[in-house]
Amino acid sequence: MKKLKIIFAIIIINGYANSQTISVTLSTPSIPFQDSDLGAMAFDDIDNDGDKDLLITGIGSGNPVKTTLYLNDGSGNFTEATGTAFVNVNNSAVGFAHVNNDNFIDLYITGASDGGRSSNLYINNGNGTFSITTSPFPVSADGSFAFEDIDNDDDKDVIITGTGGISGVGVAFTKLYTNNGSGIFSEVLSTPFDQLRLSSVVFIDAENDGDKDIILSGKDSNDNNLTKLYINNGIGVFTVSSSTSFAGISDGDLAVADSDNDGDMDVIVNGGSSQGGITKLYTNNGSGVFTEVTTTPFIGTQVGAAEFADFDNDGDKDVIVLGAGLGAAICKIYQNQGNNTFIESNDLIGSYLTCIAIADIDNDTDLDFITGGTHIVNPTHTPYLYLNNLNSPLDVFDFHNRINVSYFPNPAEDFVNFKTTNITEKITVFNILGEVVLTNVVNDQNYKIDVSMLSPGSYFIKLENKGQIQTIKLLKS
């Protein structure tokens, strides 16, 4: 085992640490996706078959407002699901979450519909179909939401921001709801949050204390742009942080990841500010104090998006930025060279009033993505799907006599489920340094492993059975 560890480490150091070129290809789906201007997108496995399905909302020139679910066949080919109960929306936000702990992913959608602003929680029926359920959530558009366990009771709570009211001008709001574990939500009163529209929200463990804090951005009741960090005391009670000042934005995006691999969560703030469109990176000192990195090459955008993603599978987070900037529509990928040194690596078809979703859609262990909004080329409102062309150096383990495996979810938080065509005898998990962090004797075709004790980051999983070997990559969230 020691010899294997050394060989594996050499492969990682020589092949993986030297960043590969990020290469993506624009893919034309066999069935065109709906228009997604003023829309939202999200990937998740809605039918528990081990691949990422796709939800899109939005509108196009001369086209109706729509909400469409597309089912993935496991190879990145999508077909439109029929018989869905979704309200058609734009100016929207969408997100998947397990709200009733039944092992099937549920769905929440807000946005503007023909009947005015709307807010609908959809429960997965267990077969990949959804039914609207009653919830106390306010109608909303021009906003955002995020699910997370704020009070450490092992269920998903939710914070919602946006413009409320069925019709008319509406009123900005920010509301927090706790979950009783069965998908029944109750509003938390007397929260310290600013009431925001044109807003974004993200959870972050800012202080590395094991509970989830919140960053909010948007326009407040005085029409000011703001971005604030709210610290969780561990039981879901929040206070405004006085130790960090982020640039105030609205109509933008927030992204969280460990960008410098130092074990704490850093932040990107992207959107419209008093200085115009910005994209700023802030690093965390480990205690929830953030400092702007002023040397990044990121272009500033408005009505756009920014996300972290490891597109080159080298163990650090690259950045993609979209939106309106410098008189043009933008879509750029910046490759992380390590220690928060970024270079522009890809200049793709730009869009504004945009959205993005990222996932490995074809189960080849690299991250693909789809962008929506208003593009600068025809078709101007149709989503653009990009496939990652990465050739992983882990293929050195991928012999002709390999184990065929599907696994989900990825990224994973607690457990990873595996299905293999033949029995797997043994499974070994390595960190990016080639160190063994977990070993399981399996002797089964269908099994799961517990990764809850692993720190967030990239890992490599080796499956073995009588000369058959397969190595895959796992992202631990």
Side-chain angles (χ1 to χ4, degrees):
M1 180 60 71
K2 183 176 180 181
K3 183 177 180 181
L4 173 63
K5 175 179 172 181
I6 293 172
I7 293 172
F8 193 91
I10 290 172
I11 291 167
I12 296 299
I13 293 169
N14 290 341
Y16 236 77
N18 296 326
S19 297
Q20 302 183 67
T21 301
I22 298 174
S23 172
V24 297
T25 301
L26 184 61
S27 175
T28 302
S30 57
I31 299 175
F33 295 124
Q34 72 154 78
D35 286 349
S36 59
D37 199 28
L38 288 170
M41 301 171 171
F43 284 111
D44 219 310
D45 183 4
I46 63 105
D47 45 11
N48 282 4
D49 64 351
D51 54 48
K52 297 299 184 183
D53 309 300
L54 173 64
L55 187 90
I56 301 177
T57 70
I59 192 174
S61 300
N63 293 320
V65 175
K66 290 185 66 179
T67 300
T68 308
L69 176 66
Y70 297 91
L71 302 179
N72 189 346
D73 69 353
S75 299
N77 302 308
F78 293 88
T79 57
E80 183 175 341
T82 59
T84 57
F86 306 132
V87 173
N88 295 320
V89 294
N90 65 348
N91 287 312
S92 47
V94 303
F96 291 97
H98 289 286
V99 303
N100 57 358
N101 288 324
D102 65 352
N103 236 3
F104 295 97
I105 198 77
D106 308 301
L107 172 64
Y108 181 45
I109 304 176
T110 66
S113 67
D114 291 340
R117 300 180 185 99
S118 65
S119 171
N120 292 294
L121 178 63
Y122 299 88
I123 299 299
N124 193 325
N125 298 319
N127 58 2
T129 66
F130 294 84
S131 300
I132 293 180
T133 189
T134 301
S135 77
F137 304 151
V139 297
S140 176
D142 304 315
S144 181
F145 61 83
F147 285 91
E148 190 52 84
D149 182 7
I150 66 163
D151 45 12
N152 287 320
D153 62 353
D154 295 323
D155 54 43
K156 296 299 183 184
D157 312 300
V158 65
I159 184 169
I160 309 169
T161 72
T163 302
I166 294 295
S167 60
V169 175
V171 178
F173 72 90
T174 303
K175 292 181 180 290
L176 180 68
Y177 296 85
T178 54
N179 188 347
N180 74 346
S182 300
I184 306 300
F185 292 84
S186 301
E187 184 178 356
V188 179
L189 303 176
S190 302
T191 61
F193 307 127
D194 290 87
Q195 309 305 300
L196 300 175
R197 61 186 179 87
L198 300 175
S199 45
S200 299
V201 57
V202 67
F203 282 99
I204 178 175
D205 184 1
E207 304 168 295
N208 275 352
D209 59 357
D211 53 49
K212 297 300 183 180
D213 312 300
I214 293 173
I215 302 176
L216 287 168
S217 68
K219 280 193 178 293
D220 65 11
S221 56
N222 295 316
D223 214 33
N224 296 318
N225 298 322
L226 64 81
T227 305
K228 289 184 180 180
L229 170 65
Y230 299 84
I231 300 298
N232 189 343
N233 72 347
I235 58 173
V237 177
F238 294 85
T239 55
V240 180
S241 171
S242 59
S243 58
T244 288
S245 178
F246 295 113
I249 62 162
S250 62
D251 236 342
D253 201 11
L254 302 167
V256 170
D258 184 2
S259 68
D260 47 11
N261 285 335
D262 64 350
D264 53 46
M265 294 293 107
D266 310 302
V267 178
I268 283 181
V269 175
N270 163 264
S273 73
S274 58
Q275 287 80 43
I278 62 169
T279 304
K280 293 180 178 289
L281 172 64
Y282 295 83
T283 55
N284 190 344
N285 73 346
S287 300
V289 178
F290 292 84
T291 303
E292 183 185 350
V293 179
T294 58
T295 56
T296 61
F298 307 144
I299 192 168
T301 64
Q302 303 183 66
V303 290
E307 296 291 343
F308 286 108
D310 185 2
F311 288 116
D312 52 8
N313 278 1
D314 65 351
D316 53 38
K317 299 297 185 182
D318 310 301
V319 172
I320 185 167
V321 178
L322 304 93
L326 300 178
I330 304 297
C331 180
K332 293 179 181 289
I333 298 176
Y334 298 89
Q335 188 176 33
N336 193 340
Q337 306 296 292
N339 197 31
N340 279 337
T341 301
F342 294 86
I343 60 170
E344 183 182 327
S345 62
N346 305 78
D347 189 0
L348 306 174
I349 298 172
S351 59
Y352 57 95
L353 299 174
T354 192
C355 52
I356 184 173
I358 302 172
D360 178 8
I361 68 166
D362 46 10
N363 284 319
D364 63 351
T365 72
D366 54 37
L367 291 175
D368 315 295
F369 60 94
I370 185 170
T371 66
T374 298
H375 305 291
I376 58 175
V377 298
N378 286 322
T380 55
H381 301 291
T382 298
Y384 288 150
L385 178 65
Y386 291 90
L387 299 181
N388 195 333
N389 301 320
L390 180 65
N391 293 312
S392 169
L394 285 178
D395 287 343
V396 68
F397 283 124
D398 193 358
F399 302 120
H400 295 297
N401 189 23
R402 68 180 185 175
I403 298 172
N404 293 317
V405 58
S406 63
Y407 62 105
F408 65 94
N410 187 23
E413 183 174 355
D414 297 315
F415 293 92
V416 185
N417 299 277
F418 292 86
K419 295 181 181 180
T420 56
T421 54
N422 298 314
I423 289 175
T424 300
E425 292 180 338
K426 180 182 177 182
I427 190 165
T428 308
V429 182
F430 301 84
N431 63 20
I432 61 173
L433 298 178
E435 299 168 335
V436 175
V437 295
L438 180 65
T439 300
N440 278 357
V441 175
V442 179
N443 291 320
D444 203 347
Q445 290 178 258
N446 300 306
Y447 51 92
K448 67 180 179 180
I449 62 171
D450 184 356
V451 296
S452 60
M453 77 295 294
L454 299 180
S455 300
S458 299
Y459 294 86
F460 308 103
I461 302 178
K462 182 182 179 185
L463 293 76
E464 299 176 73
N465 178 52
K466 293 183 174 62
Q468 292 181 311
I469 298 176
Q470 175 69 290
T471 304
I472 59 178
K473 185 179 181 191
L474 173 73
L475 298 178
K476 171 64 168 64
S477 60

